Amino acid sequence: MERKTFSQLPLGVSDFHKLRELEKIYVDKTGLLYELITTFEKVFLARPRRFGKSLLVSTFESLFKYGTRDFKGLAIEKLWKDKTYKVIRLDFSNLKDFSSEEEFSVLLDEYFEILMAQSEVTLPKDKNFGGFSSFIYWLGLQPSNSVVVLIDEYDAPLTVCMNNPELFDFVRKKLSRLYASFKNYEGVIRFLFLTGITKFNKTSIFSELNTLTDISLSPRYGSLLGYTHEEVVEYFKDYLNRSAKASDINSEQLLVVQSINTLSIK
């Protein structure tokens, strides 16, 4: 008997283009994603680790940078009529290896120098700033409504130094300068998306971005990450049926058993 080939599970893949290129299972959230993009200009979303935040950031990056190239057959393919943009993707998980103010400043400048080189961001030769300042200067030179900024794990540098109040305050002030530039040059930014594990309410970061919409507890966007029961049944049907058959039960019973086991573990 010929063995049925299942679409691959999307385990450990946080790059949207790669996931689509390898034809792994992708639960289509793009209709909700389109609604989000066309409703808000600056968005914050907090979720725990390993919850799909980086994949979501990568999905935004692909859409704004390449249009519908990677979205064939998905809901947004027929909805998206926008142009492409200069996309700046920041991953602040790269800013965790420091233990002093000087180390953080050096790390920050190095990171932005690398980012600008990879993004082909250039400045006039007579402008000799550090990488961090160079980026802020470059942002202010861009045309109206031309840049998309995506920030993954915005809180990573802050959580590293939570037990060191002086260093925490230094890092907070340094990053606040970046967020202030997003507000100062908001006419340049088409869309800003910020994600992390938690929201540091009592820092100046969110006061600098007081037009940021927090959708972390929004019922409307609660299913933007993770899978609903209906999505599990629809997209993972083959795997459910195979597991149910191996356990000599039907797929609905399998889901009930798995739910009970999950609750027992918690």
Side-chain angles (χ1 to χ4, degrees):
M1 179 184 296
E2 184 179 350
R3 187 174 181 179
K4 182 178 180 180
T5 302
F6 295 165
S7 297
Q8 295 181 23
L9 294 170
L11 301 176
V13 180
S14 59
D15 183 276
F16 181 73
H17 174 67
K18 180 178 180 181
L19 186 148
R20 296 290 288 169
E21 192 173 44
L22 295 177
E23 298 183 349
K24 291 178 178 288
I25 295 174
Y26 175 71
V27 176
D28 189 0
K29 308 277 189 176
T30 61
L32 198 57
L33 184 145
Y34 175 79
E35 179 185 311
L36 178 69
I37 293 171
T38 53
T39 303
F40 306 107
E41 294 181 357
K42 300 180 182 67
V43 179
F44 171 74
L45 174 65
R47 286 293 185 274
R49 288 187 176 89
R50 312 301 300 172
F51 220 81
K53 299 188 300 297
S54 295
L55 177 60
L56 179 61
V57 170
S58 179
T59 306
F60 281 129
E61 180 181 29
S62 176
L63 182 65
F64 281 112
K65 197 171 184 178
Y66 301 110
T68 58
R69 182 195 69 177
D70 299 322
F71 294 84
K72 305 303 180 185
L74 301 180
I76 203 170
E77 183 184 13
K78 296 180 180 180
L79 300 170
W80 192 248
K81 307 299 180 185
D82 208 342
K83 63 179 184 180
T84 56
Y85 295 83
K86 184 70 174 180
V87 177
I88 301 298
R89 180 178 176 180
L90 304 171
D91 183 353
F92 281 1
S93 66
N94 292 297
L95 300 177
K96 297 191 295 186
D97 188 17
F98 66 93
S99 57
S100 69
E101 295 177 6
E102 182 180 1
E103 286 182 358
F104 180 71
S105 294
V106 171
L107 185 65
L108 191 64
D109 276 336
E110 289 178 347
Y111 178 70
F112 274 89
E113 284 172 7
I114 293 171
L115 171 77
M116 292 174 72
Q118 292 175 337
S119 303
E120 299 180 347
V121 170
T122 58
L123 290 174
K125 292 182 179 180
D126 62 330
K127 303 300 180 183
N128 186 24
F129 303 124
F132 181 60
S133 297
S134 292
F135 173 76
I136 293 174
Y137 179 78
W138 170 84
L139 184 65
L141 298 177
Q142 301 314 297
S144 176
N145 198 42
S146 63
V147 178
V148 168
V149 179
L150 309 171
I151 306 178
D152 199 5
E153 296 200 41
Y154 91 96
D155 49 352
L158 294 169
T159 56
V160 167
C161 54
M162 285 184 66
N163 295 324
N164 186 334
E166 290 185 2
L167 183 56
F168 182 93
D169 192 53
F170 177 84
V171 172
R172 176 189 63 79
K173 287 179 179 177
K174 198 85 169 177
L175 294 178
S176 291
R177 185 182 163 206
L178 175 67
Y179 299 125
S181 73
F182 296 150
K183 183 177 181 180
N184 293 337
Y185 305 129
E186 63 181 358
V188 165
I189 298 175
R190 158 65 176 87
F191 184 71
L192 169 66
F193 184 71
L194 190 74
T195 186
I197 297 170
T198 188
K199 184 176 181 181
F200 285 96
N201 282 315
K202 295 183 179 180
T203 66
S204 60
I205 290 174
F206 287 93
S207 62
E208 296 291 356
L209 287 171
N210 54 10
T211 57
L212 200 65
T213 300
D214 185 355
I215 63 167
S216 302
L217 299 179
S218 167
R220 178 59 187 165
Y221 298 104
S223 62
L224 189 60
L225 295 178
Y227 302 143
T228 65
H229 176 89
E230 292 75 19
E231 287 169 342
V232 170
V233 172
E234 178 182 354
Y235 287 91
F236 300 93
K237 178 173 60 177
D238 290 335
Y239 286 94
L240 289 173
N241 290 338
R242 186 170 69 178
S243 296
K245 185 176 181 180
S247 302
D248 198 26
I249 57 178
N250 62 48
S251 58
E252 285 300 320
Q253 289 173 319
L254 177 70
L255 287 170
V256 171
V257 170
Q258 290 299 320
S259 297
I260 293 172
N261 288 341
T262 300
L263 291 173
S264 298
I265 292 172
K266 290 180 179 180

